[in-house]
């Protein structure tokens, strides 16, 4: 009748397959055990034993066997599944990335060559998966492509580096202005040879006034010698 939507029928095997693959792509080991192996999906997994074995192998860190079986199914039975076929390869890559993340977590540094051997894969694929995880912010690590190593970086070290860069950026304008001022003084042969002890304007008499005016004359390249304490030429005849 009107308002009734007829969808494509989904079997229990399909539910087990789709649920297991999505779980492998997104859940860590503890969640995989709680929600899948010990959860409501567990009885359905027995209907698709090849998928159940992949889940168990990932949980028990037998990555090479699990990923090899997943790759074979992606090219085989999963490619013929009406609903799964368009997403099978993408899901397999997500499962692969999750396995790389799970393998690396207990270590501070690992060899990508050893990871590739454990995954029965090639180093380039492992390195690409690690780069994807780092760029996505799921893995705090640094990849050394030359040495083929993956090394963990702490969040504190990253924060300290960012703080240092921010401090340099904040100091840069003032330092740049100081440098430009110094270069301008050198270009115009402007040198300050004294420090005035009193106000420059008014009160020309007394030592302070003489020193201030002497400093100003020195700044303009004139010799302050021969001037009296009140700034008048001592060689002039007294009136």
């Amino acid at each position: 009748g009107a308002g009734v939507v007829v969808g494509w029928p989904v079997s229990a095997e399909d539910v087990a397959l789709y649920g297991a693959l999505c779980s492998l792509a997104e859940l860590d080991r503890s969640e995989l055990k709680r929600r899948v192996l010990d959860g409501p999906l567990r009885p359905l997994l027995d209907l698709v034993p090849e998928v159940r074995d992949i889940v168990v192998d990932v949980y028990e860190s037998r990555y090479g066997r699990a990923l090899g079986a997943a790759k074979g199914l992606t090219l085989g039975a999963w490619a013929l599944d009406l609903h799964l076929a368009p997403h099978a390869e993408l899901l397999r890559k997500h499962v692969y990335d999750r396995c790389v993340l799970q393998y690396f977590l207990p270590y501070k540094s690992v060899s990508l060559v050893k990871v590739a051997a454990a995954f029965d894969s090639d180093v380039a694929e492992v390195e690409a998966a690690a780069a994807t995880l780092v760029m996505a912010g799921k893995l705090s690590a640094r990849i050394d492509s030359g040495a083929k190593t993956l090394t963990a970086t702490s969040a504190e070290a990253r924060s300290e580096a960012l703080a240092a860069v921010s401090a340099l950026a904040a100091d840069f304008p003032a330092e740049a202005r100081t440098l430009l001022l110094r270069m301008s003084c050198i270009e115009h042969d402007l040198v300050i040879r004294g420090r005035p002890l009193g106000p420059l304007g008014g009160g020309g008499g007394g030592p302070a006034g003489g020193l201030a005016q002497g400093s100003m004359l020195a700044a303009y390249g004139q010799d302050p010698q021969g001037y009296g304490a009140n700034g008048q030429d001592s060689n002039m005849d007294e009136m």
Side-chain angles (χ1 to χ4, degrees):
V4 176
V5 178
V6 179
W8 191 270
V10 178
S11 66
E13 290 85 349
D14 290 338
V15 173
L17 173 59
Y18 306 155
L21 283 177
C22 291
S23 299
L24 287 170
E26 294 297 328
L27 302 181
D28 58 25
R29 292 181 74 251
S30 61
E31 287 294 297
L32 190 65
K33 180 171 177 58
R34 185 176 70 85
R35 295 190 180 188
V36 181
L37 294 177
D38 293 341
L41 196 61
R42 181 64 179 86
L44 297 179
L45 285 177
D46 291 332
L47 300 174
V48 279
E50 67 278 7
V51 177
R52 178 199 59 204
D53 293 343
I54 292 174
V55 175
V56 172
D57 285 339
V58 169
Y59 176 73
E60 296 182 354
S61 301
R62 294 191 291 264
Y63 301 114
R65 190 162 74 178
L67 294 172
K71 188 172 184 178
L73 289 169
T74 301
L75 299 174
W78 296 350
L80 303 176
D81 187 293
L82 181 64
H83 303 296
L84 182 58
H87 314 286
E89 179 59 22
L90 181 60
L91 277 171
R92 187 195 69 82
K93 288 182 178 179
H94 281 315
V95 172
Y96 191 99
D97 292 351
R98 170 61 63 176
C99 289
V100 170
L101 177 61
Q102 189 167 293
Y103 184 99
F104 176 70
L105 284 179
Y107 302 101
K108 184 176 180 180
S109 179
V110 296
S111 166
L112 296 178
V113 176
K114 291 184 178 180
V115 178
F119 281 33
D120 194 19
S121 179
D122 57 82
V123 177
E125 188 174 10
V126 173
E127 187 172 353
T132 299
L133 291 167
V134 170
M135 289 187 291
K138 296 180 180 179
L139 182 63
S140 297
R142 182 181 66 254
I143 301 172
D144 187 333
S145 295
K148 298 301 178 185
T149 58
L150 186 64
T151 305
T153 56
S154 67
E156 291 183 1
R158 179 179 175 84
S159 298
E160 290 174 2
L162 289 174
V165 171
S166 297
L168 286 174
D171 294 340
F172 177 76
E175 293 180 358
R177 284 195 296 270
T178 302
L179 262 175
L180 289 172
L181 179 60
R182 179 179 177 83
M183 291 172 62
S184 180
C185 289
I186 293 173
E187 181 182 358
H188 293 86
D189 197 25
L190 180 63
V191 181
I192 305 298
R193 294 180 181 170
R195 183 175 180 183
L197 300 178
L200 294 179
L211 181 57
Q213 292 182 2
S215 299
M216 292 177 64
L217 291 169
Y220 285 96
Q222 299 182 24
D223 185 3
Q225 300 298 325
Y227 283 80
N230 60 359
Q232 296 178 348
D233 190 344
S234 59
N235 295 322
M236 294 178 61
D237 295 332
E238 293 183 357
M239 299 296 294

